[in-house]
């Protein structure tokens, strides 16, 4: 089983759509979790941390289910500028591992 | 805002040559990382560095690779004898203990001919 596994995508959605990405991780001892965004040929940048209670940042909602070792990201009212690759990142003792990423394209 | 800087932004080299990629992490960070991303593929972990020594390395990080923090500010990745398959974008990242968040440099693109 891969350390961090994500929906392969690509997701092609119209503007205004709601889209959800899923991620599973294999190491039950992992301590913290993140979603990063990567634009084409650019470095990854933190989108949001993921907390056990779930957290929201504007149109973005992240959820963590430790029992199922599952993380999700929900994007509501998607914008053209949301087009990017979304990377699930799992931290175990400062050993940060990335999923392969899910490519999102938002179309007019 | 503090940032991670990497040089060079692009290097072209001949197969078999040595390459050194340089990074200046954020000054109060304690953890340093190198990742690579082959064009169109995932971000792959190479190595993490803490307290002046390697803390984790992946199977990609073989004897051809080494890292150093020679002067307390720079963090370098050396590839001793480059192969064609080393062509990739190499990202340096640093992080603090508190948040677990990583800050990435803009990357160094390595092209091996």
């Amino acid at each position: 089983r891969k350390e961090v596994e994500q929906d392969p995508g690509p997701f092609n959605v119209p503007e205004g759509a709601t889209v959800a990405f899923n991620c599973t991780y294999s190491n039950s001892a992992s301590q913290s979790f993140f979603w990063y965004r990567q634009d084409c040929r650019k470095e990854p940048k933190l989108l949001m941390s993921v907390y056990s209670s779930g957290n929201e940042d504007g149109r973005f909602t992240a959820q963590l289910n430790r029992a199922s070792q599952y993380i999700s990201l929900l994007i509501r009212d998607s914008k053209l500028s949301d087009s990017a690759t979304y990377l699930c990142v799992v931290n175990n003792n400062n050993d940060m591992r990335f999923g392969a990423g899910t490519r999102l394209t938002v179309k007019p | 805002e503090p940032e991670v800087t990497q040089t060079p932004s692009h290097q072209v080299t001949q197969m078999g040559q040595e390459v050194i990629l340089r990074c200046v992490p954020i000054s109060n960070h304690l953890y340093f990382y190198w990742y690579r991303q082959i064009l169109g593929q995932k971000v792959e972990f190479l190595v993490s560095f803490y307290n002046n020594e390697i803390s984790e390395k992946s199977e990609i990080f073989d004897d051809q690779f080494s890292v150093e923090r020679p002067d307390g500010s720079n963090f370098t990745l050396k590839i001793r004898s480059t192969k064609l398959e080393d062509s990739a974008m190499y990202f340096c990242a640093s992080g603090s203990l508190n948040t677990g968040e990583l800050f990435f440099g803009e990357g160094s693109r390595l092209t091996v001919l």
Side-chain angles (χ1 to χ4, degrees), chain A residues 2 4 32 34 36 38 41-46 49 87 89 91 93-101, chain B residues 31 33 35 37 39 42-43 45 48 56-58 89 91 96-97 99-106 109:
Chain A
K2 292 180 185 174
V4 183
S32 52
F34 307 87
Y36 276 71
Q38 186 176 27
R41 296 179 181 266
K42 296 284 192 180
E43 74 275 22
K45 291 186 178 177
L46 180 69
S49 303
L87 306 168
V89 182
N91 178 20
N93 288 326
N94 290 292
D95 181 8
M96 305 279 278
R97 298 300 171 111
F98 284 69
Chain B
Y31 295 87
Y33 304 80
Y35 291 84
Q37 188 173 34
L39 189 62
K42 67 174 286 185
V43 175
F45 170 74
S48 59
E56 289 280 344
K57 59 182 181 179
S58 71
M89 181 73 91
F91 290 110
S96 66
L97 184 58
T99 66
E101 177 186 352
L102 287 188
F103 293 81
F104 282 80
E106 293 186 341
R109 180 165 296 284

Side-chain angles (χ1 to χ4, degrees), chain B:
Chain B
E1 185 178 321
E3 58 181 19
V4 177
T5 57
Q6 289 186 241
T7 53
S9 56
H10 188 194
Q11 181 156 355
V12 181
T13 191
Q14 296 290 326
M15 193 169 58
Q17 295 296 305
E18 177 182 281
V19 160
I20 297 176
L21 305 178
R22 291 183 169 82
C23 171
V24 180
I26 294 173
S27 60
N28 62 347
H29 283 181
L30 301 175
Y31 295 87
F32 313 109
Y33 304 80
W34 282 101
Y35 291 84
R36 80 170 186 192
Q37 188 173 34
I38 296 168
L39 189 62
Q41 297 187 25
K42 67 174 286 185
V43 175
E44 297 176 292
F45 170 74
L46 291 178
V47 66
S48 59
F49 194 85
Y50 171 70
N51 202 25
N52 286 320
E53 59 183 21
I54 290 174
S55 52
E56 289 280 344
K57 59 182 181 179
S58 71
E59 60 276 6
I60 302 168
F61 194 88
D62 61 21
D63 293 343
Q64 293 299 313
F65 290 87
S66 62
V67 287
E68 265 194 326
R69 195 149 188 256
D71 56 11
S73 61
N74 291 287
F75 179 50
T76 62
L77 175 69
K78 182 192 289 186
I79 310 174
R80 264 180 270 283
S81 177
T82 50
K83 303 188 282 286
L84 295 176
E85 54 265 36
D86 293 329
S87 295
M89 181 73 91
Y90 289 80
F91 290 110
C92 173
S94 69
S96 66
L97 184 58
N98 294 333
T99 66
E101 177 186 352
L102 287 188
F103 293 81
F104 282 80
E106 293 186 341
S108 293
R109 180 165 296 284
L110 176 64
T111 303
V112 183
L113 303 176

